[in-house]
Amino acid sequence: MGCTKFPIDEDGLLITDREDCYISNLELLGADQRSVLTEKLVVIDEEKLTISAEVQFGTDLRNIYPQFSLATDAKLDPKIVGKVDFSDLEHPKQYTVISGNRKVRKTYTVLITVQQP
């Protein structure tokens, strides 16, 4: 009995047969590694491919660490390698989810709003 061998992509990740391609959750952490999200739910709209999140008043938007939960075997482009600057609210960040088989791609726009004081 042998193992099925899957090829490896340019990031050293297995390319599988999974076609699922979605973001199931987003967490935003500040410089202290604590959540900067308000009590409002993060809303992921699969039709519009948007993610709406509200951060606490006073959050340093230039110093946010986003954490995405993805479908099994999917990957994110661009990769998160550190803090991200979300301060330009007029030009929201976009992230593309790529399925495990690397054939399905969905680009989500992250819409950040700041809680009113």
Side-chain angles (χ1 to χ4, degrees):
M1 191 174 211
C3 296
T4 301
K5 293 190 177 190
F6 288 103
I8 296 176
D9 70 9
E10 66 278 359
D11 295 319
L13 301 172
L14 290 178
I15 299 173
T16 66
D17 56 0
R18 294 185 187 265
E19 295 179 1
D20 294 335
C21 187
Y22 59 85
I23 294 174
S24 61
N25 192 35
L26 169 66
E27 179 65 62
L28 299 174
L29 304 177
D32 60 359
Q33 294 299 304
R34 293 182 183 208
S35 178
V36 295
L37 293 172
T38 64
E39 292 182 6
K40 288 187 177 180
L41 293 176
V42 171
V43 177
I44 300 173
D45 186 325
E46 284 296 325
E47 286 184 23
K48 296 180 182 176
L49 295 177
T50 59
I51 304 171
S52 301
E54 182 181 74
V55 298
Q56 299 167 11
F57 178 78
T59 297
D60 179 2
L61 296 176
R62 295 167 295 154
N63 201 20
I64 300 288
Y65 184 76
Q67 295 180 333
F68 293 90
S69 297
L70 307 176
T72 302
D73 295 337
K75 69 178 191 174
L76 194 67
D77 183 42
K79 293 181 243 176
I80 306 295
V81 294
K83 303 294 182 191
V84 176
D85 184 348
F86 284 95
S87 63
D88 187 355
L89 299 177
E90 297 297 316
H91 299 95
K93 298 285 185 200
Q94 292 190 322
Y95 292 91
T96 300
V97 180
I98 305 166
S99 65
N101 65 7
R102 305 303 185 255
K103 295 178 181 177
V104 181
R105 294 173 178 263
K106 291 183 183 176
T107 300
Y108 290 81
T109 301
V110 180
L111 305 168
I112 303 291
T113 57
V114 179
Q115 180 183 41
Q116 294 301 307

